Amino acid sequence: MKRIQTIETRDLIKSLATGGCGECQTSCQSACKTSCGLTNQSCENDKG
Amino acid sequence: MIHQFKLDGFCVVLDIYSGAIHVVDPVAYDIIALYQNHSAEQIISIILERYAKDEDVTQEDIRLCLSDIESLIKANKLFSKDPFSALESHEFKKTNTTLKAMCIHIAHTCNLTCDYCFAKQGNYQGADAVMSYEVGKQALDYLIRESEGRRNLEVDFFGGEPLMNWQVIKDLVAYAREQESIHDKNFRFTLTTNGVLIDDDVIEFANKEMHNVVLSLDGRKEVHDRLRKTANGRGSYDVIVPKFQEFVEKRGGKDYYLRGTYTNQNIDFTNDILHMLDLGFRELSMEPVVCSPDDEVALTEKDLPALFEQYELLGHEMLKRYKQNDEFTFYHYIMDLNAGPCLHKRIAGCGSGTEYLAVTPWGDLYPCHQFVTHPEFKMGNVWDGITKPEKIDDFAKCNIYANPTCRDCWAKMFCAGGCTANAYHTTGSIFGVYEFGCELFKKRVECAIVLQIAKGLHVNA
């Protein structure tokens, strides 16, 4: 595409079928303790 | 739903539900902005007029761009529909209320008297207390018992200052390790400390047993010492910095975070991050202070423009150092675009009161560490378990569909609805919105995405 470049990302809608195992880290447990963010967390299974 | 923004010369279009990120040129950026409310002929007319001086922008070219947009829509990567719009907010957590994480308040006492502490100098507005081994053991047993189906369990030793009850931490870790093989569990421990009591024993034990350590340093000496003082009013910087440096040096690459808090006293917090780098630390977190708006160090809306500028400066510094092979981590800019959290995780909220509980030194259960100052949020205790199941039901409803502000916000898939405690403290409701925090969060997400894009372009250059 001439004017649009799409960055490769995990397809969230597809992850509905493969995700949800619950083994990932609780959002607040690593460093913040006063906010909530989860893009900085990894998927334990990386199932795509 | 999409979100468009321009930053550092990039025109970015986020497709919220699919997670797709598009880097576009200004023409496509404008066409996408017009797409949903204008016909093709109207868009062509507007764009031709807007870019009249640009010979590259022709009617044929605009039609080609419109065709590309339609292809992305068909591929569910642009203007993708909300897959959950028909569901009620409480339906999202039905499968996600299994306990898996615990914040153990091992000590409600502290050897520092930090002015901004949400734990009110360590004791959470109550009497000083330390947790006994028996209470801690009951807490771990409760976590094991209630985490059926979950293997990875997280336990954060928190305070006050946890090292004021160090032997009990060591004994509890030993007990948990014994239980791992019996129950097929994997404990991941975190220690959060102000550093004053770090010694050789702490370094050796924590570097062996703690999955993560969070070390509190606010940055420059004058910034840190202004608010993080001992009982006699002296700053703690000179005591803790050499200890943190030794701790991290001997950590052998295991996870740690040097965590700072910024206030209205150091709006230029990027200079504190640079100072942390000068001290040799590379895994960094810097959080806006959470306190009453009346507090003399509170951040307010008038600080936002300056803070936004700081977050942009931080992104520039990170990119510069990345290109120089001197990369460092800023907690809020970590973003794995290919292997980040699944959609289940993103809609489920922070987990407080459901997947995550806090335990006081005397064994009471609370939704999270920030609710311990509110007795009305007590949910039960480690012996009897949850005695107020209606509290779990309340927290299970807390997610991005719980209120219209979140439901209509582009950043909801990045914050999962934000911090329940912050919402309560600012609005009086766990379903409220901490708007100031939202503004900072959204800026950080934009900066983090642009940093990822710029890094990718550097690699591919």
Side-chain angles (χ1 to χ4, degrees):
Chain A
M1 293 182 185
K2 182 183 167 190
R3 297 187 182 276
I4 302 174
Q5 181 189 355
T6 300
I7 307 290
E8 193 178 337
T9 54
R10 184 179 192 179
D11 189 318
L12 294 183
I13 295 174
K14 284 183 181 170
S15 77
L16 262 181
T18 54
C21 73
E23 292 291 352
C24 51
Q25 189 178 44
T26 306
S27 307
C28 197
Q29 194 74 332
S30 51
C32 52
K33 290 288 187 189
T34 52
S35 67
C36 177
L38 40 75
T39 52
N40 45 24
Q41 294 181 30
S42 297
C43 175
E44 286 285 336
N45 290 318
D46 192 11
K47 288 177 181 174
Chain B
M1 178 187 287
I2 64 165
H3 173 62
Q4 297 184 254
F5 67 97
K6 294 180 180 179
L7 183 60
D8 291 343
F10 292 106
C11 301
V12 183
V13 182
L14 307 180
D15 187 57
I16 304 309
Y17 297 110
S18 71
I21 298 173
H22 310 285
V23 184
V24 304
D25 72 2
V27 176
Y29 189 90
D30 287 353
I31 293 173
I32 290 170
L34 294 166
Y35 189 84
Q36 286 198 304
N37 297 315
H38 296 79
S39 68
E41 299 311 316
Q42 286 174 322
I43 292 172
I44 289 167
S45 171
I46 293 168
I47 296 296
L48 282 177
E49 186 181 342
R50 192 174 295 172
Y51 292 91
K53 292 178 181 171
D54 192 335
E55 291 179 1
D56 283 349
V57 183
T58 63
Q59 185 172 139
E60 184 184 356
D61 182 56
I62 297 168
R63 288 196 190 280
L64 188 63
C65 187
L66 285 166
S67 172
D68 289 341
I69 289 169
E70 283 158 20
S71 298
L72 289 170
I73 293 171
K74 281 180 187 161
N76 238 0
K77 290 184 179 296
L78 195 62
F79 299 115
S80 59
K81 298 281 184 284
D82 181 353
F84 308 107
S85 55
L87 297 180
E88 295 294 327
S89 68
H90 66 276
E91 295 184 68
F92 295 103
K93 279 197 175 172
K94 278 181 179 170
T95 58
N96 287 310
T97 53
T98 304
L99 185 64
K100 67 177 184 181
M102 195 171 257
C103 184
I104 293 188
H105 291 223
I106 201 76
H108 272 197
T109 182
C110 194
N111 43 17
L112 293 182
T113 57
C114 307
D115 291 346
Y116 52 48
C117 182
F118 73 78
K120 308 300 172 195
Q121 285 67 52
N123 60 21
Y124 293 79
Q125 292 179 328
D128 282 10
V130 292
M131 183 179 282
S132 69
Y133 172 73
E134 185 54 36
V135 169
K137 179 175 170 298
Q138 287 288 340
L140 293 174
D141 286 342
Y142 179 75
L143 175 58
I144 291 168
R145 193 164 67 241
E146 295 298 317
S147 59
E148 188 179 353
R150 295 281 187 270
R151 183 166 186 275
N152 294 325
L153 303 180
E154 300 151 36
V155 171
D156 186 6
F157 291 110
F158 202 64
E161 171 48 38
L163 295 187
M164 294 181 78
N165 199 11
W166 177 233
Q167 187 57 47
V168 173
I169 291 177
K170 290 170 70 176
D171 294 344
L172 290 175
V173 169
Y175 176 72
R177 295 291 180 224
E178 286 174 13
Q179 300 301 306
E180 282 182 321
S181 57
I182 298 170
H183 300 281
D184 189 28
K185 300 291 185 187
N186 176 41
F187 276 97
R188 289 171 177 166
F189 293 106
T190 296
L191 173 70
T192 301
T193 179
N194 64 31
V196 172
L197 294 177
I198 287 174
D199 59 15
D200 290 345
D201 181 52
V202 170
I203 290 173
E204 184 180 351
F205 186 86
N207 283 348
K208 178 171 179 281
E209 295 288 357
M210 297 296 162
H211 179 74
N212 187 20
V213 292
V214 180
L215 312 172
S216 300
L217 179 77
D218 284 354
R220 293 163 288 181
K221 177 176 164 61
E222 64 273 22
V223 170
H224 180 93
D225 282 350
R226 190 182 296 134
L227 296 171
R228 299 187 66 84
K229 293 174 285 199
T230 61
N232 62 13
R234 296 184 61 181
S236 55
Y237 179 96
D238 290 336
V239 174
I240 63 167
V241 167
K243 292 173 186 254
F244 285 166
Q245 287 172 318
E246 184 184 355
F247 200 164
V248 169
E249 187 185 333
K250 291 181 175 175
R251 194 137 173 82
K254 292 178 91 169
D255 287 349
Y256 77 92
Y257 275 103
L258 201 70
R259 183 204 185 281
T261 298
Y262 69 79
T263 71
N264 64 14
Q265 302 294 298
N266 60 320
I267 296 289
D268 62 336
F269 65 83
T270 302
N271 286 322
D272 294 293
I273 290 176
L274 294 176
H275 183 74
M276 293 171 172
L277 292 166
D278 289 343
L279 293 172
F281 301 107
R282 288 292 178 272
E283 309 295 318
L284 311 177
S285 171
M286 181 65 82
E287 297 286 330
V289 68
V290 173
C291 61
S292 163
D294 304 327
D295 195 297
E296 64 180 23
V297 300
L299 296 160
T300 65
E301 284 195 10
K302 72 175 174 48
D303 298 318
L304 283 174
L307 295 174
F308 289 170
E309 188 180 348
Q310 289 295 306
Y311 281 117
E312 290 182 18
L313 281 173
L314 178 59
H316 299 162
E317 186 67 26
M318 291 181 76
L319 182 61
K320 186 183 90 179
R321 294 190 184 227
Y322 174 79
K323 290 178 177 176
Q324 295 169 344
N325 290 319
D326 185 25
E327 195 173 11
F328 70 95
T329 300
F330 177 61
Y331 178 73
H332 286 293
Y333 285 4
I334 300 170
M335 188 175 277
D336 187 339
L337 298 176
N338 295 309
C342 64
L343 198 48
H344 296 268
K345 175 78 170 177
R346 291 173 190 251
I347 63 175
C350 76
S352 63
T354 56
E355 298 176 317
Y356 170 70
L357 294 176
V359 187
T360 65
W362 45 94
D364 287 340
L365 296 171
Y366 282 82
C368 88
H369 53 287
Q370 286 210 62
F371 283 105
V372 166
T373 48
H374 303 286
E376 65 272 25
F377 280 97
K378 180 182 165 185
M379 302 172 78
N381 60 67
V382 294
W383 294 274
D384 304 318
I386 298 296
T387 55
K388 294 180 181 172
E390 67 275 14
K391 295 285 183 196
I392 288 188
D393 292 342
D394 286 346
F395 279 87
K397 291 173 188 166
C398 275
N399 58 50
I400 57 177
Y401 291 89
N403 71 59
T405 305
C406 292
R407 197 181 304 133
D408 298 335
C409 176
W410 66 265
K412 60 188 172 186
M413 293 297 175
F414 298 93
C415 76
C419 170
T420 310
N422 288 347
Y424 178 74
H425 290 137
T426 51
T427 70
S429 167
I430 61 173
F431 301 105
V433 174
Y434 175 41
E435 291 180 0
F436 179 81
C438 292
E439 292 306 310
L440 292 180
F441 189 90
K442 286 188 276 192
K443 184 63 183 179
R444 291 195 297 254
V445 170
E446 290 184 346
C447 289
I449 287 171
V450 163
L451 179 61
Q452 293 295 320
I453 292 169
K455 280 182 173 180
L457 289 178
H458 177 70
V459 168
N460 295 326

